[in-house]
Amino acid sequence: MCGYVVEQRPIFRTEWVLEARTFLRSQGLPAEDAEEPPASSRRFPDGAQYRVEIPSTEGPEVLDAVLSEAAERDVPVHRISQGSGAMMLTDTELAEMAATAGRNHAELSLFARPQAGWHTGAMVGSRVGASIAAQARGTDQLAHVLEDVRRAADAGVRSVLITDLGVLSIAARMREDGTLPADMCFKCSVQMALSNPVSIAIAERLGADTYNVPTDLSIGQLASIRAATDLPLDIYIESPDDLGGFVRHYEIAEIVRVAAPVYVKFGLRNAPDIYPSGGHLTPTAVALGRERVRRARIGLDMLHRYMPEATTSELPAPGLAVPRGESATSEKASDLR
């Protein structure tokens, strides 16, 4: 006999998978990704199926350019999001962005930072360490992210992008007890990376108000997630290179059909990473913002062509976390300062 043992691999048994699918079904969850996904019956509060989000709007100048381009191209902008974080805006810039978005009845969602990817830890630079880059690293950083949320709220902002489940959980408790405004919206970032119906339903239970799914999910996978959650889904129609660089314009009608209510989100492929942004990058950020609006016009033209019955929200729209003219935080917020 040979002097070694051949590894005995277990036989794959399809009945085990069937049992798992049966259990999922018993829990009211989808048992598989649908090959022919059904149309979603869920809607935004006003009955609309989709809204438009323009991401990476990194400062007042970029916001002005995006809104100007949107008016010229007749693109409704329901939500503006930003990736550098409230922490990278001066008090004046923060107030100016909130005021501009408020006047235009648009939600302004600012990234709540910092995270591990911008910290001093070495793991994020390792071969597999990128997976923790979006997490809050240690208790001090957890407190810093929560302070970023509080500062945004004090400026009248009512929507923040969150990447970490612990931050989401504590921020939701702060909203419940009045430390944060009751109308504060928690938008889960694509960097949270939850990718299946059960995980995203957990985020919903922890307090998420809207969820940005990973950029590469199939139509069937999106339909499965929709079956398990009432949350509006934020879906990149075009994603930046560091999130895959996918250009899915021809899928936009099917995405709206199966995933409603959905924020169709127009990133930009073949564009530089500008986080954290600042004055040294303002001309580039403005040009990128204008092109994102142009990409949105392309996507909406396709949506109207292939799904002319699709409905969107007229501004002002219910359910949007539009900035307030003045802070609505309670006196409890002073305890964090």
Side-chain angles (χ1 to χ4, degrees):
M1 294 182 63
C2 298
Y4 58 87
V5 177
V6 177
E7 179 184 358
Q8 298 295 316
R9 297 183 178 179
I11 299 173
F12 183 76
R13 296 179 60 183
T14 57
E15 62 265 30
W16 294 347
V17 177
L18 291 175
E19 288 178 7
R21 295 189 191 279
T22 299
F23 187 80
L24 285 170
R25 195 175 292 111
S26 74
Q27 300 302 300
L29 295 164
E32 58 192 356
D33 297 322
E35 293 184 6
E36 297 182 7
S40 170
S41 61
R42 293 179 172 88
R43 297 291 185 268
F44 285 108
D46 59 356
Q49 292 169 286
Y50 75 94
R51 291 175 176 175
V52 176
E53 178 178 343
I54 303 297
S56 301
T57 303
E58 304 302 299
E61 298 93 342
V62 187
L63 177 55
D64 289 343
V66 163
L67 293 173
S68 172
E69 192 76 17
E72 182 177 334
R73 295 187 181 275
D74 192 26
V75 171
V77 177
H78 301 93
R79 177 194 278 160
I80 295 289
S81 56
Q82 176 256 21
S84 295
M87 66 177 284
M88 300 305 295
L89 295 169
T90 67
D91 291 347
T92 299
E93 290 167 338
L94 192 56
E96 186 176 345
M97 288 190 75
T100 299
R103 286 194 303 271
N104 287 273
H105 310 292
E107 180 174 321
L108 174 65
S109 190
L110 301 180
F111 216 107
R113 289 195 183 271
Q115 284 84 37
W118 287 9
H119 206 229
T120 57
M123 183 176 174
V124 294
S126 68
R127 186 171 61 86
V128 298
S131 61
I132 69 161
Q135 304 306 304
R137 183 172 180 266
T139 304
D140 285 349
Q141 195 168 78
L142 174 64
H144 294 161
V145 179
L146 294 170
E147 166 61 10
D148 216 37
V149 175
R150 196 276 312 162
R151 177 171 173 258
D154 273 2
V157 174
R158 288 297 178 267
S159 178
V160 289
L161 275 152
I162 291 178
T163 61
D164 182 285
L165 282 174
V167 171
L168 173 63
S169 175
I170 297 299
R173 293 187 213 174
M174 292 168 71
R175 180 174 61 184
E176 288 175 5
D177 79 355
T179 302
L180 290 173
D183 58 351
M184 199 73 181
C185 174
F186 302 133
K187 167 178 159 57
C188 290
S189 165
V190 67
Q191 294 181 47
M192 189 172 281
L194 306 179
S195 306
N196 65 71
V198 177
S199 296
I200 293 173
I202 290 172
E204 182 176 17
R205 292 197 296 273
L206 288 177
D209 296 293
T210 174
Y211 193 89
N212 196 148
V213 298
T215 61
D216 61 348
L217 297 184
S218 69
I219 299 295
Q221 290 167 337
L222 292 173
S224 294
I225 290 169
R226 170 48 67 221
T229 180
D230 291 325
L231 291 177
L233 300 179
D234 316 333
I235 301 177
Y236 274 100
I237 303 303
E238 181 172 348
S239 56
D241 296 78
D242 59 0
L243 290 176
F246 307 119
V247 183
R248 305 182 69 176
H249 290 272
Y250 271 106
E251 294 178 273
I252 188 171
E254 191 67 355
I255 286 171
V256 170
R257 186 184 74 84
V258 307
V262 58
Y263 284 92
V264 288
K265 185 171 180 177
F266 295 91
L268 196 59
R269 183 172 183 169
N270 194 28
D273 180 356
I274 58 172
Y275 301 151
S277 192
H280 61 308
L281 293 171
T282 296
T284 298
V286 166
L288 297 177
R290 288 188 177 277
E291 183 57 24
R292 290 185 184 94
V293 176
R294 177 179 171 272
R295 295 295 225 270
R297 182 68 268 163
I298 292 171
L300 294 179
D301 285 347
M302 286 191 173
L303 177 59
H304 298 160
R305 188 178 308 132
Y306 301 119
M307 191 182 178
E309 71 278 13
T311 55
T312 191
S313 297
E314 298 292 333
L315 295 173
L320 285 177
V322 177
R324 302 297 184 185
E326 59 185 31
S327 173
T329 52
S330 74
E331 293 181 358
K332 290 184 181 181
S334 63
D335 295 338
L336 295 176
R337 298 175 188 168

